[in-house]
Amino acid sequence: MEVPFHGKQRFTSFQIIIFGFSGVILLGAGLLSLPISSQEGCATPFSNALFTSVSAVCVTGLVVYDTATYWSMFGQFVILLLIQIGGMGVITVATSFAMISGRKITLMQRSTMQEAISVPKVGGIVRLTNFIIRTTLTVELLGAAAMAPVFCRDFGIKGLWMALFHSISAFCNAGFDLLGTRAPFSSLTSYHSQPAINITIMLLIIIGGIGFLTWDDIRSNGLRFQRYKMQSKVILCTTAFLLIIPAIYFFCFEFQDRPLSERVFVSFFQSVTPRTAGFNTAELDSLSEAGKYLVIVLMLIGGSPGSTAGGMKTTTIAVLFATALSTFLRKDSPHFFKRRLDQDVIKHAATILMMYLVLFFLGGFLISIIEDLPMLTSLFETASAIGTVGLSLGVTPRLCTVSKLLLMLLMFLGRVGGLTLIFAALSVRKKNVSKLPLEKITVG
């Protein structure tokens, strides 16, 4: 949908989404570059402030400074606010303020909301926005309450702030943490066997990554799985598969030297966090090469549509898998749960996969050349950036400005979506009803 601007120029919903994210990122970078944002009271170089702002708004978690030891309380609050806005979505936050102020939500705003949270139709947008706000605040407060006793025991009254920070960061799948006071860039490794922290963080990541549309479906139909929409069924089944299978691999092959209970927590946590939270309870350098490649695959897949997570999305992979299966079985069209898939969805899924793979490999290739790093290490960082994950093998703070710019671009593309950027760059054109002559080409 095109939106009139001063009676002359028209912006599409996709362009508004791009401008919204860009504006918040620049504002956040400006605030983080102020002396008040750092603990030492000195101005932060704008390039590093911009990197942190992009990482926060795009809910990634890649950092050039340790969040706990470099940023002041004001800086941490700015980062947390950027995470919240990025997780809920800039358009969702803007619409919620309009609703609170009592203003009428226009058709243009409803259309933009539809594109921002991947809703199939405009109807019910206001009700869904209310549901998103209530769910977000409720889940984040419950998560903070669950972790507060542990953090207050270890950090005193400051534990309340830490519990809230980590709850919002986990639900928004951001991966920022405040535990660098124990060891810089240590994430949650000091709590690798603490049940309350592990379980709460994992639940917050999963709840945020499943998507608001799915939770709205669950709220409406309860546990009656057969009544769920096809998309909700696909998301739940794919998510379960991507949680269980990697966890079994990590348990059997990666953490064999740990006690059984600790091994279970660490294995399942490393299965949950690559999609796309960025926390870790084990040193990633200790993973085998096969384990690192598995983490890369999980980071690229990411969460689900209409969620706080990034990546290609679970539905994209599921559609491509169903398409391949239908080809193998010589069926006319792919389907899920006795429902046929639209051909446009298949084309979009294939396009998204190609875009992510090209950006992933190209970014890793360039960083490997620029930084003289092993290809696996470079690919790990680019997968983390474009999947908006935040996991790192420890090289991000040492990267040069050019490499950081590459990662910022990948984080931005991963959050707003590659197709959104393309649709924003290309003006809406009328479809040409005429077709070119058909000629077959052999593939495979």
Side-chain angles (χ1 to χ4, degrees), residues 112-134:
T112 306
M113 272 291 296
Q114 177 191 8
E115 302 294 348
I117 59 179
S118 305
V119 181
K121 57 183 180 179
V122 176
I125 285 291
V126 175
R127 181 193 64 80
L128 182 60
T129 302
N130 275 321
F131 175 72
I132 290 173
I133 296 170
R134 292 198 308 270

Side-chain angles (χ1 to χ4, degrees), residues 197-383:
I197 301 298
N198 274 262
I199 294 173
T200 303
I201 292 290
M202 285 190 288
L203 285 175
L204 288 169
I205 294 170
I206 293 170
I207 292 170
I210 284 178
F212 296 108
L213 294 176
T214 304
W215 285 114
D216 187 45
D217 203 3
I218 293 173
R219 183 192 65 161
S220 301
N221 298 296
L223 299 178
R224 291 168 291 187
F225 184 80
Q226 70 278 5
R227 299 186 63 177
Y228 293 172
K229 296 181 177 68
M230 180 187 70
Q231 176 168 303
S232 299
K233 294 177 181 178
V234 171
I235 287 173
L236 292 173
C237 291
T238 307
T239 299
F241 178 85
L242 292 173
L243 291 176
I244 295 171
I245 300 304
I248 293 174
Y249 166 81
F250 287 126
F251 182 84
C252 294
F253 300 105
E254 293 293 343
F255 304 112
Q256 297 173 334
D257 58 333
R258 297 175 182 252
L260 181 61
S261 59
E262 180 181 320
R263 190 173 165 190
V264 171
F265 274 124
V266 172
S267 297
F268 198 69
F269 197 96
Q270 307 324 306
S271 176
V272 172
T273 192
R275 308 179 36 257
T276 57
F279 294 105
N280 60 286
T281 56
E283 295 295 337
L284 297 176
D285 283 330
S286 65
L287 293 176
S288 66
E289 191 169 294
K292 292 175 183 175
Y293 275 115
L294 176 58
V295 172
I296 287 175
V297 171
L298 294 174
M299 289 193 292
L300 288 174
I301 294 173
S304 302
S307 72
T308 60
M312 289 186 289
K313 303 296 188 292
T314 53
T315 48
T316 301
I317 297 302
V319 166
L320 293 171
F321 178 80
T323 303
L325 187 61
S326 68
T327 301
F328 297 151
L329 299 178
R330 296 181 178 274
K331 293 186 177 181
D332 293 335
S333 60
H335 65 274
F336 290 116
F337 303 100
K338 298 181 180 181
R339 293 292 186 273
R340 181 168 49 88
L341 295 178
D342 184 74
Q343 290 300 313
D344 283 342
V345 173
I346 299 171
K347 288 192 293 185
H348 285 173
T351 303
I352 291 170
L353 175 65
M354 181 58 65
M355 288 178 55
Y356 267 82
L357 290 181
V358 169
L359 292 171
F360 161 62
F361 281 112
L362 181 60
F365 180 75
L366 292 175
I367 290 177
S368 179
I369 293 175
I370 295 169
E371 305 291 342
D372 193 24
L373 289 171
M375 192 64 179
L376 174 58
T377 302
S378 301
L379 290 175
F380 196 97
E381 302 299 308
T382 55

Side-chain angles (χ1 to χ4, degrees), residues 25 49-64 79 82-83 173-174 176 388-390 408 411-412:
I25 287 171
L50 180 63
F51 188 96
T52 305
S53 181
V54 171
S55 184
V57 175
C58 297
V59 289
T60 303
L62 288 175
V63 293
V64 290
I79 290 173
L82 294 176
I83 290 171
N173 279 227
F176 281 82
T388 68
V389 182
M408 281 191 277
M411 286 189 284
F412 188 78

